[in-house]
Amino acid sequence: MLLNILFGSQTGTAEDVSERFACMARSAGVQCRVQPLDSITSIDDLGTYNLFIVSTTGDGEEPENMRQFWRLIMRRSLSVVLSHVHYALIGLGDSTYPKFNFVGKKLSKRLEQLGAQAICEKVLADEQHPHGTDGCIDQTFTSIFWKALGDLIGQELQPRIDQRLPSKYQIQWIDSDEPHIPSNGTMQTLKNIPKIPPGYSSVPLISNTRVTSEDHWQDVRLLEFETDLSYKCGDVAVILPQCPIASVHLLVSIFHLEDKLDHRFIASNETSSLSMTVLELFRDYLHITRVPSRSFFEKLVWFADDELERERLLEFLQAGNMDDLYTYCHRPRRTSVEVLQDFPQTASRIPFEYVFDLFPHIRPRSFSIASSPKIHPNRIQLLVAIVRYKTIIALYREGLCSNYLCRLQSGERIFMRIATSFNLIDDDRPAIMIGPGTGVAPFRGWILERSLNQDKLNMLFFGCRYRKKDAYVENDLLKDSINLIYIPAYSRDQDEKIYVQHKIIEYGHLVWEWISHKHARVYLAGSAKQVPEQISDALKTVFI
């Protein structure tokens, strides 16, 4: 029997959950295959037993690595009957978004329409669950799924978290006098590994400027890069960040690899090969500062020979102790490296090749481009809010990519590619733009570009806290040459808090005139959680 574990993942969470269920399957003696949904190019490629793990992104959209499959299975002309297909489904979402788990719900309905048979009830996991996504899945799905699948195939399935599985990769130290040569014969394919990841370009930083006042709580940067990458207003820059070097050195010391920091190795398995140094691995490839998932602790058990550390790990993983694990790990946003510090005996017994099993690889981050190719030729500008906060254990935490960008100096290079995102329609109809905070980024360059034609009418609702501290678009957009009706909402400049939605209602007569008589389009960018609903309510008030 083969279990196909198929994931659609944008930020890596669905892929991580897939890997966790693959470990469970292998420990229970079930052969499995993990692959992105876009690897399914024909409905006939679906196996008999399938576990779908899909996330929902943006405004109810499917992840990039399942869009081809999405189009395939949603075709109205599809007449294939999938009565031979048995499936289970895990949806990943956040209930603070309006279209919570939309992709999971729609995929489940479509599979049912095509005659596929559900192995068990689907779970729509919620990031807002008291125990996080992992806790939600384990409480409502995991044991039910394995029992139902076992009943279906006539075999009792009991995954074991304490059973060490083979590592993903075998390691050959290139600098070693007696290297271990993997038996899969892939070494010869490694000579010309590109330094720049496929699809990315190496672009130099020109300037890195703080655009909020020094005494403001939020550090927002305007970063400018020199590049010949082609883009249009509304596109995003996709960036590969690096882990902070202090965390790299800390992890190297935990694993006692100080003397191997610059040593090159080859990691290989049946399907792929990687070649890099230890420094490159921990800085550029693995996300070592991420808050670890439940599977991280499950894998630590594999190496826990110390009685006290093993007992503590197993206590965390007991079904009745989810609160303890959540309190220890997620509430303080404890990083993977810090967890290893708390389990030094276990960490010292982890073979190097298992780092690929413990840590997920770094995912790219997307930022709306804040410039225009017509106004800023051979330049890309980004508005980036630097993520820093203090946890309940009084430790500061940093967003991986925003702080990586914040630390950049002029002349340093990063890896970047361009992706389409926001459809800003290039025509003569008036545009009403709503962009609180750094949500204004795609509108900044577009307003400058549209102002090249003085017949194009533009209205911008911008929200920030203080006019003198974080109204960072005003220097660029409040000029005689810019054709713009600018309506700001400074939420803290007066006793009563005023937000963008209040300004929309206040200027409702003008908004309605533009929409009803001038056929204006309305564009909204910013936080995808509460803002769209609040803006929608304000616009409904205007329309009524």
Side-chain angles (χ1 to χ4, degrees):
M1 174 215 154
L2 175 66
L3 175 64
N4 290 305
I5 302 178
L6 304 165
F7 65 87
S9 185
Q10 188 71 25
T11 62
T13 304
E15 185 174 356
D16 291 346
V17 174
S18 300
E19 292 289 348
R20 181 177 177 229
F21 272 82
C23 286
M24 292 186 208
R26 291 170 184 135
S27 72
V30 175
Q31 184 182 0
C32 69
R33 178 173 56 205
V34 180
Q35 53 190 346
L37 274 160
D38 271 357
S39 64
I40 304 296
T41 57
S42 167
I43 290 297
D44 295 333
D45 293 341
L46 286 176
T48 304
Y49 304 102
N50 302 277
L51 173 58
F52 294 91
I53 303 174
V54 297
S55 62
T56 297
T57 69
D59 187 25
E61 299 168 356
E62 68 280 2
E64 282 186 37
N65 64 358
M66 71 171 287
R67 287 178 183 168
Q68 178 179 309
F69 173 79
W70 194 252
R71 289 190 295 269
L72 173 68
I73 201 166
M74 291 298 171
R75 278 192 329 220
R76 293 184 179 180
S77 60
L78 196 63
S79 59
V80 177
V81 177
L82 300 180
S83 57
H84 67 289
V85 171
H86 299 268
Y87 76 95
L89 188 144
I90 299 173
L92 304 176
D94 184 332
S95 58
T96 60
Y97 286 74
K99 293 188 177 180
F100 168 65
N101 254 314
F102 184 76
V103 172
K105 294 173 184 176
K106 195 169 181 179
L107 177 57
S108 176
K109 184 176 181 180
R110 184 56 171 159
L111 290 168
E112 183 181 343
Q113 288 174 343
L114 295 173
Q117 302 176 57
I119 297 171
C120 63
E121 184 66 28
K122 67 179 177 292
V123 61
L124 302 177
D126 185 3
E127 285 185 20
Q128 302 304 316
H129 187 277
H131 302 129
T133 298
D134 286 338
C136 183
I137 293 170
D138 282 349
Q139 284 184 350
T140 61
F141 180 84
T142 304
S143 61
I144 297 172
F145 167 71
W146 290 115
K147 184 180 186 308
L149 181 60
D151 292 344
L152 185 62
I153 65 174
Q155 177 183 341
E156 186 178 6
L157 300 178
Q158 293 203 353
R160 294 180 52 191
I161 62 173
D162 60 343
Q163 180 177 326
R164 185 195 297 192
L165 299 174
S167 61
K168 289 182 182 178
Y169 289 96
Q170 294 177 299
I171 299 297
Q172 174 197 5
W173 290 99
I174 296 177
D175 298 332
S176 173
D177 293 332
E178 296 181 1
H180 171 67
I181 306 295
S183 59
N184 51 36
T186 57
M187 292 299 110
Q188 66 273 17
T189 64
L190 289 162
K191 294 181 179 178
N192 297 311
I193 292 180
K195 278 292 184 183
I196 301 176
Y200 287 84
S201 296
S202 175
V203 301
L205 177 74
I206 296 175
S207 61
N208 182 350
T209 307
R210 177 168 178 151
V211 291
T212 50
S213 65
E214 292 294 336
D215 61 343
H216 187 55
W217 71 276
Q218 177 74 74
D219 182 356
V220 176
R221 299 297 178 104
L222 177 65
L223 298 111
E224 185 172 42
F225 299 90
E226 181 179 5
T227 177
D228 58 0
L229 288 171
S230 176
Y231 72 95
K232 63 182 184 301
C233 293
D235 286 349
V236 295
V238 183
I239 292 170
L240 282 174
Q242 294 178 344
C243 289
I245 197 66
S247 297
V248 171
H249 285 296
L250 180 56
L251 184 60
V252 165
S253 67
I254 290 172
F255 286 148
H256 306 294
L257 292 169
E258 294 92 340
D259 60 337
K260 288 181 176 283
L261 189 63
D262 296 316
H263 285 210
R264 183 165 293 276
F265 65 90
I266 295 168
S268 61
N269 57 26
E270 293 79 6
T271 59
S272 63
S273 299
L274 304 166
S275 176
M276 63 189 80
T277 66
V278 172
L279 173 62
E280 291 168 342
L281 173 69
F282 292 150
R283 184 192 63 195
D284 306 336
Y285 190 78
L286 298 179
H287 193 171
I288 63 174
T289 58
R290 184 185 179 190
V291 177
S293 64
R294 186 178 179 85
S295 65
F296 182 86
F297 292 88
E298 291 171 343
K299 290 170 184 174
L300 285 186
V301 172
W302 297 351
F303 312 103
D305 293 335
D306 180 85
E307 184 177 349
L308 291 177
E309 291 188 6
R310 183 178 181 83
E311 181 180 351
R312 190 180 181 199
L313 288 167
L314 290 173
E315 284 179 355
F316 278 150
L317 295 171
Q318 288 178 3
N321 292 339
M322 287 186 181
D323 280 333
D324 293 341
L325 179 57
Y326 195 81
T327 299
Y328 167 74
C329 188
H330 290 272
R331 289 190 65 205
R333 309 300 294 171
R334 203 179 301 270
T335 69
S336 301
V337 176
E338 289 169 340
V339 171
L340 291 176
Q341 283 185 294
D342 286 348
F343 295 89
Q345 298 302 317
T346 300
S348 68
R349 291 176 171 82
I350 299 174
F352 177 68
E353 60 265 26
Y354 277 93
V355 296
F356 293 96
D357 300 81
L358 285 172
F359 302 104
H361 59 82
I362 293 173
R363 313 286 176 177
R365 287 4 182 221
S366 298
F367 296 89
S368 293
I369 295 175
S371 52
S372 160
K374 295 180 181 179
I375 305 297
H376 311 95
N378 299 317
R379 298 287 189 273
I380 284 180
Q381 296 177 343
L382 305 177
L383 268 176
V384 178
I386 309 304
V387 179
R388 292 194 188 102
Y389 58 95
K390 186 181 289 188
T391 71
I392 61 171
I393 57 175
L395 290 176
Y396 281 98
R397 297 292 184 241
E398 297 182 344
L400 177 64
C401 194
S402 65
N403 282 274
Y404 164 64
L405 293 172
C406 177
R407 290 188 290 266
L408 288 176
Q409 302 293 318
S410 296
E412 290 188 275
R413 290 179 171 270
I414 67 169
F415 295 138
M416 177 189 293
R417 65 179 174 86
I418 305 299
T420 58
S421 176
F422 201 176
N423 184 23
L424 299 175
I425 301 173
D426 185 20
D427 62 12
D428 293 333
R429 287 171 61 174
I432 300 173
M433 293 160 268
I434 306 167
T438 53
V440 77
F443 302 138
R444 178 181 176 270
W446 200 42
I447 290 170
L448 296 174
E449 183 175 304
R450 283 173 60 87
S451 294
L452 294 174
N453 182 346
Q454 290 296 311
D455 293 331
K456 293 184 178 181
L457 301 179
N458 306 291
M459 184 188 304
L460 173 64
F461 288 90
F462 172 70
C464 63
R465 292 198 176 189
Y466 306 98
R467 180 171 190 173
K468 293 184 178 179
K469 292 186 178 183
D470 59 331
Y472 35 75
V473 297
E474 296 185 356
N475 287 338
D476 300 311
L477 301 182
L478 299 188
K479 298 177 180 178
D480 292 340
S481 59
I482 307 301
N483 186 15
L484 175 66
I485 295 177
Y486 176 69
I487 304 173
Y490 309 118
S491 64
R492 304 296 200 277
D493 271 346
Q494 59 285 312
D495 293 335
E496 182 181 359
K497 293 178 182 178
I498 298 176
Y499 296 108
V500 163
Q501 57 266 29
H502 301 132
K503 287 294 183 178
I504 291 173
I505 295 172
E506 180 183 344
Y507 287 85
H509 62 288
L510 182 59
V511 172
W512 178 244
E513 178 188 344
W514 275 41
I515 293 174
S516 62
H517 299 300
K518 298 181 180 180
H519 308 292
R521 291 190 175 92
V522 179
Y523 300 89
L524 170 63
S527 170
K529 292 191 177 182
Q530 295 181 349
V531 170
E533 187 174 350
Q534 294 165 348
I535 299 301
S536 176
D537 290 342
L539 289 172
K540 289 175 184 176
T541 301
V542 170
F543 298 158
I544 293 172

